[in-house]
């Protein structure tokens, strides 16, 4: 499943997408410490698989939390969370 | 030499009259249905305050969201440009500017010689702008100007989850029902705006010399939340709402 | 706040329903799903996998009592008591606060499952337009979610946003859709996404002489194009169905269909019960799996 966590508001679309099919096979969970904003956590989904998700209380402020990793100029090609995820399960919409 | 800068905002229209680089008159009125008409009224009021006749004015420059509507201006300047010029006038060393309006907000980073290095802005979502505080004041049944003083007396941090004006109104009402003190709610409201504004500042890169301009700069509670969030001193000019109009008047001097 | 206004244009009808074709539940397996949303709550009771009764009401001040009120109202006149229900799934925003539930399942999974039952296994794309959120869900023929996207940050594209407009124009919420379709020529959509800015824009349009119908048309059309962009981001495939409160607003539904060039499947049930219905279906499967599927009334 592709889980898109985030929102769209007047200023744009801010979604972190997690491919839970890739993610459920991962044991390292590099995303937990790899994100400076600590937005990820591991949960059991509705089919009892261990997958990463974006913390519920952070889902509405991704634009703000991720701002530090996304400067107006000189943005990294791969973000810290993407580097930390060994399964290449994380993508950002903006 | 006399020049005038006009800032046609969503909420207010401001005019500043400069005589040889010194402010000699200013005026602020609500922006009406017709932005050009409001600009004309603000212009006349500012000239009257400065005791200057229209014939003496060498150049008029307009800025703000309605800048293109101001028909009697010779030249226009973007909000970013006028904010940079105006802020530098008050704080010559400023390198990061937070410019807040009723319906928009932006963070601007300047180079050492005052050129614009980077900027981030929000004008599409009401939650990151000054009117957010006004909407919440209404929900709290408090005058908007009371929000700052209330917030300064907060005792407890209350989390506010809603990021949207519409949802935050209901959240404030439910906080009132839970008997949360108004002071704590006011602080939570300012912390919310501050979080959203700070993220723009972090996107352009936070430097040391920070200034806040625009009407919301009068709100001490908001300024305090921003200071706590960014962990930096923030300079606020005495009349923060006139800074962009002043920047436009300074630009008028350059082109005259 | 709208709650204090003398006339409540946003208010919609709360009701309960009992399936006349199922005379009795005794001797069958009874399961339930309770969807406690931010704005509305529903309880669905199924008897041997068939829809038996449901309730649809506004969520009260706290989730546990809303859940209890919803299930009690659904059970009204059926002779059922809580202990007759072998398995209950809680879902929705308040799912962990359903005191009598055996398990909590996310609303995304429940919606897909419920829609699979309501619209049949051909449904692939679901748009759920709720009171305070909007979800785009893509699912397979078993009603299992393959991708989803939810937006609960922003009031644009939600029932709450529509309520704000109903209040602004003093039009009862249930009449908004038909009124918006009565315009002779479709106006350009309201340009602001943000509800606050759209409200300012609408006030300006009214001042400029636009009729209420035309302003509503412009707003419904803006809402439609906004949710279509969410659907497109998540993946759009036939068949397509709309659930939630806004699915009852013909002005938004017709415009979504127009933009997509696809007709939405016509609902045979109340579009607001999809989540609770999915919950009751999950409850049935879980009850059978855990051998808790006791037979009621024995």
């Amino acid at each position: 499943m592709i889980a898109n966590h985030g929102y769209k508001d007047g200023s744009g679309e801010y979604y972190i997408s997690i491919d839970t099919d890739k993610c459920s096979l991962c044991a390292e969970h590099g995303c937990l410490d790899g994100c400076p904003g600590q937005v990820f956590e591991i949960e059991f989904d509705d089919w009892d698989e261990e997958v990463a998700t974006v913390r519920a209380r952070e889902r509405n402020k991704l634009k703000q939390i991720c701002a530090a990793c996304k400067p107006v100029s000189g943005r990294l090609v791969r973000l810290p969370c993407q580097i930390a995820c060994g399964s290449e399960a994380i993508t950002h919409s903006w | 030499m006399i020049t005038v800068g006009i800032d046609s905002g969503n909420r207010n229209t401001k005019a500043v009259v400069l005589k040889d680089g010194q402010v000699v008159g200013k005026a602020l009125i609500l922006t009406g249905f017709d932005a050009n008409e409001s600009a004309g009224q603000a212009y006349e009021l500012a000239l009257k305050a400065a005791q200057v006749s229209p014939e003496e004015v060498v150049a008029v420059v307009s800025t703000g969201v309605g800048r293109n509507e101001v028909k009697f201006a010779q030249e226009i300047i973007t909000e970013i440009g006028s904010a940079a010029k105006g802020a530098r006038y008050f704080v010559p060393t400023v390198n990061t500017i937070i410019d807040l309006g009723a319906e928009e907000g932006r963070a601007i980073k300047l180079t050492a010689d005052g050129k614009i290095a980077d900027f981030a802005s929000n004008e599409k979502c009401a939650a990151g702008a000054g009117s957010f505080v006004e909407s919440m004041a209404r929900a709290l049944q408090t005058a908007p100007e009371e929000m700052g003083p209330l917030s300064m007396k907060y005792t407890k941090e209350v989390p506010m989850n809603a990021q949207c004006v519409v949802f935050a109104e209901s959240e404030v009402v439910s906080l009132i029902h839970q008997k949360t003190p108004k002071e704590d709610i006011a602080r939570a409201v300012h912390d919310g705006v501050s979080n959203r504004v700070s993220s723009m500042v972090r996107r352009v890169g936070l430097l040391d010399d920070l200034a806040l301009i625009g009407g919301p700069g009068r709100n001490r509670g908001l300024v305090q939340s921003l200071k706590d969030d960014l962990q930096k001193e923030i300079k606020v000019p005495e009349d923060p709402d006139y800074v962009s109009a002043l920047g436009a008047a300074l630009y008028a001097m350059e082109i005259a | 706040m709208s709650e204090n206004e003398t006339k409540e244009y946003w208010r919609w009808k709360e009701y309960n329903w009992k399936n006349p074709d199922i005379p009795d539940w005794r001797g069958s397996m009874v399961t339930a799903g309770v969807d406690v949303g931010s704005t509305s709550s529903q309880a669905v009771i199924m008897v041997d996998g068939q829809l038996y009764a449901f309730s649809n009401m506004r969520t009260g001040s706290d989730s546990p009592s809303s859940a209890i009120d919803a299930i009690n109202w659904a059970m009204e006149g059926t002779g059922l008591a809580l202990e007759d229900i072998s398995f209950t799934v809680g879902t929705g925003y308040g799912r962990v606060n359903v005191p009598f539930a055996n398990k909590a399942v996310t609303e995304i999974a429940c919606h897909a499952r419920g829609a699979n039952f309501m619209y049949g296994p051909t449904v692939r794309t679901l748009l759920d337009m709720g009171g305070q959120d909007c979800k785009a869900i893509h699912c397979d023929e078993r009603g299992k979610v393959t991708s989803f996207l939810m937006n609960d940050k922003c009031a644009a594209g939600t029932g709450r946003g529509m309520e704000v407009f109903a209040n602004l124009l003093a039009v009862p919420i249930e009449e908004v859709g038909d009124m918006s379709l009565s315009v002779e020529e479709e106006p350009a959509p309201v340009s602001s996404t943000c509800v606050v800015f759209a409200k300012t824009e609408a006030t300006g349009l009214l001042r400029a002489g636009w009729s209420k119908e035309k302003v509503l048309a412009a707003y419904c059309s803006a809402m439609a194009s906004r949710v279509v962009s969410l659907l497109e981001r998540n993946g759009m495939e036939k068949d397509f169905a709309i659930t939630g409160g806004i699915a009852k607003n013909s002005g938004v539904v017709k415009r979504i269909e127009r933009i997509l060039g696809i007709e939405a499947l016509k609902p045979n049930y109340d579009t607001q019960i999809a989540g609770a219905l999915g919950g009751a279906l999950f409850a049935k499967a879980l009850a059978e799996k855990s051998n808790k599927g006791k037979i009621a009334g024995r």
Side-chain angles (χ1 to χ4, degrees):
Chain A
M1 173 172 77
I2 307 289
N4 295 287
H5 301 288
Y7 55 91
K8 174 181 181 171
D9 68 10
S11 63
E13 282 192 0
Y14 306 92
Y15 284 101
I16 294 181
S17 307
I18 301 177
D19 185 340
T20 58
D21 295 333
K22 290 180 182 169
C23 182
S24 61
L25 306 171
C26 168
E28 284 89 43
H29 302 154
C31 54
L32 293 182
D33 295 326
C35 166
Q38 305 265 298
V39 307
F40 298 100
E41 67 182 351
I42 304 295
E43 65 162 17
F44 284 100
D45 70 4
D46 295 316
W47 293 273
D48 291 327
E49 297 211 34
E50 259 194 320
V51 297
T53 182
V54 174
R55 286 179 204 275
R57 62 191 166 86
E58 318 291 20
R59 280 174 202 165
N60 283 343
K61 337 179 227 204
L62 290 180
K63 181 187 173 185
Q64 295 160 47
I65 299 169
C66 297
C69 292
K70 297 185 171 186
V72 178
S73 43
R75 177 174 158 177
L76 297 166
V77 180
R78 274 163 65 81
L79 298 162
C81 55
Q82 295 172 314
I83 295 167
C85 171
S87 315
E88 304 212 334
I90 301 172
T91 48
H92 287 218
S93 72
W94 79 110
Chain B
M1 178 170 60
I2 291 173
T3 59
V4 180
I6 291 170
D7 177 7
S8 172
N10 283 308
R11 176 69 51 80
N12 295 319
T13 300
K14 286 91 34 177
V16 166
V17 183
L18 276 185
K19 186 175 186 181
D20 301 326
Q22 294 297 316
V23 178
V24 289
K26 54 187 196 300
L28 180 150
I29 63 162
L30 274 176
T31 305
F33 198 37
D34 182 336
N36 184 41
E37 204 180 296
S38 303
Q41 287 165 6
Y43 178 68
E44 278 170 29
L45 285 171
L47 289 185
K48 204 184 248 178
Q51 295 182 312
V52 162
S53 70
E55 294 76 39
E56 294 173 74
V57 178
V58 181
V60 180
V61 168
S62 64
T63 185
V65 65
R67 60 183 178 277
N68 292 317
E69 309 289 318
V70 185
K71 304 293 180 233
F72 57 93
Q74 280 88 58
E75 191 90 42
I76 58 164
I77 182 170
T78 64
E79 291 107 314
I80 315 279
S82 60
K85 286 188 194 298
R88 276 263 160 159
Y89 179 88
F90 284 107
V91 189
T93 53
V94 70
N95 49 28
T96 310
I97 302 165
I98 302 171
D99 178 13
L100 284 183
E103 294 195 357
E104 75 278 293
R106 53 187 73 85
I108 307 160
K109 189 166 80 172
L110 301 180
T111 59
D113 55 351
K115 296 227 162 53
I116 291 142
D118 263 328
F119 73 92
S121 61
N122 164 40
E123 51 201 32
K124 298 285 176 61
C125 168
S131 66
F132 182 83
V133 178
E134 285 166 36
S135 303
M136 297 312 118
R138 215 173 305 132
L140 267 174
Q141 299 183 330
T142 299
E145 57 276 13
E146 283 304 306
M147 289 296 279
L150 271 176
S151 174
M152 300 302 278
K153 288 183 279 184
Y154 89 104
T155 49
K156 209 165 140 256
E157 281 200 11
V158 198
M160 250 188 72
N161 301 318
Q163 299 290 322
C164 168
V165 174
V166 177
F167 297 152
E169 277 173 353
S170 329
E171 196 172 346
V172 165
V173 171
S174 72
L175 285 171
I176 297 170
H177 286 297
Q178 292 160 28
K179 308 255 183 292
T180 312
K182 275 190 174 184
E183 291 79 3
D184 296 349
I185 302 178
R187 170 73 182 192
V189 166
H190 292 135
D191 281 349
V193 179
S194 163
N195 282 334
R196 296 184 276 275
V197 172
S198 301
S199 74
M200 284 192 303
V201 179
R202 294 200 176 91
R203 279 200 74 203
V204 296
L206 177 57
L207 299 172
D208 265 329
D209 243 323
L210 205 61
L212 170 62
I213 64 168
R218 293 191 186 276
N219 179 338
R220 286 190 299 136
L222 178 57
V223 176
Q224 190 57 49
S225 287
L226 276 165
K227 281 182 184 169
D228 293 346
D229 200 330
L230 293 167
Q231 295 287 310
K232 295 270 186 204
E233 201 37 54
I234 300 175
K235 298 191 180 88
V236 184
E238 202 180 320
D239 284 321
D241 12 23
Y242 290 100
V243 176
S244 276
L246 172 79
L250 288 167
Y251 181 59
M253 260 172 68
E254 290 173 28
I255 59 166
Chain C
M1 289 306 294
S2 52
E3 273 80 359
N4 300 331
E5 280 164 18
T6 42
K7 227 172 160 192
E8 296 170 318
Y9 294 102
W10 51 262
R11 197 171 279 284
W12 42 269
K13 260 188 224 80
E14 302 173 293
Y15 72 109
N16 62 355
W17 176 90
K18 189 170 159 284
N19 188 346
D21 299 333
I22 302 177
D24 197 21
W25 46 266
R26 285 169 189 83
S28 309
M29 187 168 75
V30 183
T31 62
V34 180
D35 181 353
V36 182
S38 53
T39 307
S40 66
S41 295
Q42 296 81 23
V44 165
I45 300 170
M46 295 192 100
V47 168
D48 286 337
Q50 277 188 291
L51 181 60
Y52 176 58
F54 70 79
S55 65
N56 181 10
M57 55 190 278
R58 216 163 163 95
T59 301
S61 54
D62 72 288
S63 302
S65 56
S66 300
I68 293 166
D69 289 349
I71 193 79
N72 282 339
W73 207 23
M75 292 191 302
E76 192 184 81
T78 63
L80 274 168
L82 265 186
E83 55 270 23
D84 297 317
I85 301 173
S86 54
F87 206 102
T88 301
V89 161
T91 186
Y93 157 86
R95 64 182 173 275
V96 291
N97 288 315
V98 179
F100 50 90
N102 303 86
K103 191 175 169 34
V105 177
T106 60
E107 60 266 39
I108 307 280
C110 285
H111 262 95
R113 190 94 174 231
N116 180 273
F117 182 96
M118 284 168 74
Y119 297 98
T122 59
V123 71
R124 284 293 163 282
T125 309
L126 261 180
L127 175 66
D128 176 56
M129 298 183 73
Q132 294 195 19
D133 66 22
C134 181
K135 307 176 198 79
I137 301 170
H138 188 272
C139 60
D140 66 14
E141 70 290 348
R142 294 163 301 159
K144 195 174 166 175
V145 182
T146 41
S147 72
F148 76 85
L149 169 162
M150 179 159 110
N151 192 356
D152 62 357
K153 186 252 179 187
C154 171
T158 68
R160 189 74 192 92
M162 194 51 93
E163 288 176 0
V164 168
F165 263 74
N167 274 337
L168 176 76
L169 298 172
V171 173
I173 194 113
E174 284 159 333
E175 293 170 21
V176 165
D178 290 344
M179 255 182 97
S180 80
L181 291 173
S182 72
V183 289
E184 276 173 24
E185 204 180 319
E186 185 75 6
V190 170
S191 67
S192 316
T193 299
C194 175
V195 174
V196 178
F197 295 161
K199 222 171 118 177
T200 315
E201 206 177 319
T203 312
L205 293 173
L206 287 171
R207 223 169 8 180
W210 282 40
S211 64
K212 280 185 184 184
E213 287 80 1
K214 206 169 157 190
V215 174
L216 285 175
Y219 187 64
C220 288
S221 155
M223 195 182 244
S225 54
R226 175 181 164 83
V227 296
V228 165
S229 74
L230 295 179
L231 280 175
E232 282 167 349
R233 152 152 288 282
N234 193 52
M236 177 66 213
E237 191 189 341
K238 283 218 288 190
D239 288 348
F240 163 62
I242 310 177
T243 59
I246 303 250
K248 298 174 184 173
N249 181 320
S250 56
V252 177
V253 172
K254 286 263 158 53
R255 289 180 174 90
I256 293 173
E257 292 177 333
R258 213 177 283 160
I259 301 172
L260 288 173
I262 299 174
E263 273 197 39
L265 296 173
K266 296 286 163 282
N268 291 320
Y269 304 88
D270 186 320
T271 53
Q272 284 181 274
I273 67 165
L277 180 62
L281 289 163
F282 262 105
K284 181 172 179 280
L286 288 162
E288 283 161 355
K289 203 168 137 190
S290 62
N291 295 321
K292 277 189 194 145
K294 62 171 183 185
I295 302 301
R298 282 191 183 164

